Amino acid sequence: MKPVLCVFGTRPEAIKMAPVVRRLRETGAPYKVAVTAQHRGMLDQVLDIFEIVPDYDLNLMTPNQSLADLNARCLTGLNRVIAECDPVCVVGQGDTTTVFASALAAFYRGVPFAHVEAGLRSGDLRSPFPEEFNRVAASKLASLHFAPTDLAHHTLLREGIDPTAILMTGNTVIDAVEIARARVEPMTLPEFDAFGLITVHRRENFGQPVENIIAAIREIALARPGFGFIWPVHPNPNIKNRVHEALGELPNVFLREPLDYREFLSALSGASIALSDSGGVQEEAPTLKTPVLVLRTETERPEGVTAGAALLIGVERTAIIENTLRLIDDAQARKAMMVERSPYGDGQSAGRIVHALANRYLGGSDAVGRAS
């Protein structure tokens, strides 16, 4: 029986694909894993935690890589992998350069592509950049679409996707949180009353938006010395150098290297608030009942905002200061953002995805069981 080929390259992809790989392994379905290592060190952390050993490792990461070079190397490398593996289908997740190259390479070789977390849209092809283009293009090339929410499902229908090719599954990140959180304790900072967690990495926030965020955090930290901040600083020099230069000496701002996934969940579950431009944090925070202030001007994950678990505040200094201070000072405002049920899933998404893959490409669940 030909295998399912799971492809990913970044830490967020690995986190969201790990439950699918785990479920394939549990059911005895034939599968292979290929990683591009678009993010090398941060990817390896997740592979270790979820005990995934890639069958193919392209190891493509280079310092200050351009999108064009990365995409070309991903496409060429994945074309070779697909030719060698001869999979029944290729499965990719999300909106990275890796997922776009995976979908295109599969299309060129006539292999079906299944898209996990399909149907997210900001409506602006250049924001987030290049993610909005990547996921739109992946949808055009996919044969099977795993929509994480009703909104994503309806978006795909509006775009003319065959309804029989769409399955609303929930988001696999909730599966990953539930798997990993059992082995973590919420982080505390004993010397501070409470703390906030900050993550910033998006390209569209490089430059003045990052300067605004840094200035706002500095002003808040000075105004509330009893409140701490943990900032696992993204290694991109566009962010790292400026953050350390501007905030490194503040006693209540703790600048860290990127945390592994368990450490990150520990910090996120222990934090009073999160400030982030990350899509994953918008999904993870409601599950852990941590209010999240979204450092973007638009989001392709409005479900958290609608549910009241997230607030879209943009990247202007004044708005960041005002909204953050309000949540620091007002326990009732924080409590109001702790939703009882995540709008992104129930932790059973991977099972639905693997069941659909088995029925569509592997001869059904009974055939998978016999093959194992």
Side-chain angles (χ1 to χ4, degrees):
M1 191 181 291
K2 290 184 178 183
V4 171
L5 178 63
C6 298
V7 182
F8 47 93
T10 67
R11 168 177 153 151
E13 284 173 285
I15 290 168
K16 293 182 176 184
M17 284 290 283
V20 177
V21 173
R22 177 186 173 115
R23 187 62 181 156
L24 286 166
R25 186 166 57 209
E26 290 172 347
T27 60
Y31 75 94
K32 298 287 186 181
V33 173
V35 297
T36 64
Q38 179 179 333
H39 293 166
R40 177 79 268 174
M42 297 169 76
L43 169 70
D44 289 344
Q45 293 176 357
V46 180
L47 295 177
D48 290 342
I49 288 171
F50 288 98
E51 299 177 334
I52 297 172
V53 179
D55 300 281
Y56 306 93
D57 190 336
L58 299 181
N59 196 27
L60 294 182
M61 183 174 177
T62 60
N64 295 317
Q65 57 195 353
S66 74
L67 288 172
D69 287 343
L70 174 62
N71 190 47
R73 287 182 288 119
C74 276
L75 183 60
T76 302
L78 289 170
N79 179 64
R80 290 196 303 267
V81 168
I82 294 170
E84 179 180 334
C85 179
D86 190 24
V88 67
C89 69
V90 175
V91 183
Q93 186 280 328
D95 51 25
T96 66
T97 297
T98 291
V99 79
F100 169 58
S102 301
L104 189 57
F107 173 73
Y108 284 162
R109 299 205 70 87
V111 177
F113 178 75
H115 190 197
V116 176
E117 198 180 79
L120 275 64
R121 300 290 186 266
S122 73
D124 181 350
L125 203 59
R126 298 195 67 84
S127 180
F129 177 83
E131 288 85 359
E132 179 75 358
F133 166 78
N134 289 338
R135 57 186 169 231
V136 170
S139 290
K140 298 298 183 184
L141 298 169
S143 301
L144 194 55
H145 309 256
F146 298 122
T149 63
D150 284 331
L151 178 61
H153 191 168
H154 290 308
T155 296
L156 292 168
L157 291 174
R158 285 199 309 272
E159 293 179 357
I161 302 297
D162 179 359
T164 65
I166 308 170
L167 178 66
M168 211 289 278
T169 61
N171 199 306
T172 57
V173 75
I174 309 305
D175 301 42
V177 170
E178 296 298 342
I179 292 167
R181 74 189 296 190
R183 291 174 283 176
V184 302
E185 292 291 333
M187 184 180 292
T188 60
L189 293 181
E191 62 269 45
F192 294 98
D193 299 333
F195 72 92
L197 176 67
I198 305 167
T199 72
V200 178
H201 74 280
R202 290 201 174 275
R203 284 182 178 85
E204 63 266 28
N205 277 344
F206 293 174
Q208 190 58 51
V210 166
E211 294 298 328
N212 293 346
I213 294 166
I214 291 170
I217 295 302
R218 182 177 180 85
E219 187 166 336
I220 296 164
L222 291 171
R224 299 292 185 275
F227 189 88
F229 286 99
I230 296 176
W231 190 334
V233 185
H234 196 276
N236 190 303
N238 291 286
I239 296 175
K240 183 175 183 177
N241 296 343
R242 280 296 298 129
V243 170
H244 280 271
E245 180 182 288
L247 304 175
E249 87 287 359
L250 295 178
N252 57 334
V253 178
F254 299 88
L255 305 180
R256 298 284 187 259
E257 294 296 313
L259 305 175
D260 74 30
Y261 191 51
R262 288 197 194 107
E263 292 171 333
F264 174 76
L265 289 181
S266 176
L268 184 58
S269 60
S272 294
I273 57 172
L275 295 91
S276 181
D277 63 3
S278 162
V281 173
Q282 292 178 61
E283 296 156 347
E284 292 156 335
T287 302
L288 299 171
K289 301 190 184 305
T290 302
V292 59
L293 299 175
V294 183
L295 299 170
R296 292 172 57 184
T297 55
E298 75 287 307
T299 180
E300 64 279 24
R301 295 169 173 86
E303 294 89 348
V305 177
T306 301
L311 187 63
L312 195 66
I313 65 169
V315 290
E316 295 300 324
R317 184 185 65 86
T318 300
I320 297 169
I321 292 170
E322 289 177 352
N323 283 285
T324 304
L325 287 177
R326 180 175 62 85
L327 288 185
I328 290 174
D329 295 338
D330 189 343
Q332 287 302 116
R334 293 196 305 274
K335 185 177 180 180
M337 295 181 70
M338 298 176 188
V339 297
E340 287 303 313
R341 183 175 177 272
S342 170
Y344 296 108
D346 60 2
Q348 303 299 316
S349 303
R352 298 183 185 104
I353 289 168
V354 171
H355 182 75
L357 291 172
N359 286 339
R360 179 69 67 102
Y361 300 118
L362 298 174
S365 299
D366 290 342
V368 168
R370 289 194 300 270
S372 64

